[in-house]
């Protein structure tokens, strides 16, 4: 079954196989992704690439991990501000990147326990207001190759700007 949650609607819903049918039930969900703009900038929920029951979420300033499909979470790390986007490497699931509001891109190489700031994108290449507004993808073949752009570039002059780093965010 498909599960969906909304932080402003309470418990999650188990969706039916067809849009014409009623939901199949409800489920408890203890953490929700950050959201700054309804339909705009928001955090995400990420599944571990190898274990479907292992989930990661950014809520508030904290990075959380669940090993029971979201019924409970353990806090792995606290940042200086809100987590607005993050991804896990498909090639090496110990590697994460996260965009932190007002602090920019961070990288973890130990499963999210410790993080290193990677400021070069917003100090040398892109404007500092990208901090907390960056959307990125990690190459499926190399955890050090990432592509980044502004999340809502359609509302700015940054539309179409895409950056690539081949060294884990040290240079772009």
């Amino acid at each position: 079954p498909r599960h969906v949650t909304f932080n402003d609607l309470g418990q999650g819903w188990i969706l039916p196989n067809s849009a014409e049918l009623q939901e199949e039930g409800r489920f408890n969900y203890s953490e929700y992704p950050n959201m700054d703009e309804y339909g705009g900038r928001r955090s995400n929920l990420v599944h571990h690439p190898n274990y479907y029951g292992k989930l990661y979420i950014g809520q508030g300033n904290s990075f959380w991990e669940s090993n029971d499909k979201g019924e409970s979470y353990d806090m792995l790390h606290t940042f200086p501000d809100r987590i607005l986007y993050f991804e896990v490497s498909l090639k090496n699931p110990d590697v994460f990147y996260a965009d932190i509001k007002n602090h920019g891109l961070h990288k973890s190489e130990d499963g999210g326990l410790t993080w290193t700031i990677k400021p070069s994108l917003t100090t040398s290449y892109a404007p500092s207001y990208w901090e907390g507004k960056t959307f990125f993808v990690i190459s499926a073949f190399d955890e050090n190759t990432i592509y980044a752009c502004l999340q809502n570039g359609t509302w700015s002059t940054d539309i179409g700007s895409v950056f690539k780093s081949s060294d884990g965010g040290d240079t772009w």
Side-chain angles (χ1 to χ4, degrees), residues 48-59:
H48 188 282
N50 301 326
Y51 306 108
Y52 81 95
K54 188 174 226 175
L55 307 173
Y56 301 95
I57 198 164
Q59 183 184 52

Side-chain angles (χ1 to χ4, degrees), residues 93-156:
D94 285 334
V95 174
F96 287 86
Y97 293 90
D99 187 33
I100 309 304
K101 187 174 183 176
N102 299 318
H103 295 273
L105 189 67
H106 289 64
K107 180 181 181 181
S108 174
E109 297 180 277
D110 62 4
L113 297 174
T114 61
W115 296 78
T116 304
I117 190 165
K118 300 291 183 173
S120 70
L121 177 63
T122 52
T123 57
S124 301
Y125 302 95
S128 63
Y129 67 82
W130 276 38
E131 294 174 348
K133 299 177 185 175
T134 306
F135 181 82
F136 50 86
V137 294
I138 306 168
S139 168
F141 306 104
D142 178 10
E143 68 266 19
N144 290 307
T145 300
I146 55 177
Y147 300 87
C149 66
L150 185 63
Q151 266 191 15
N152 42 348
T154 55
W155 298 313
S156 73

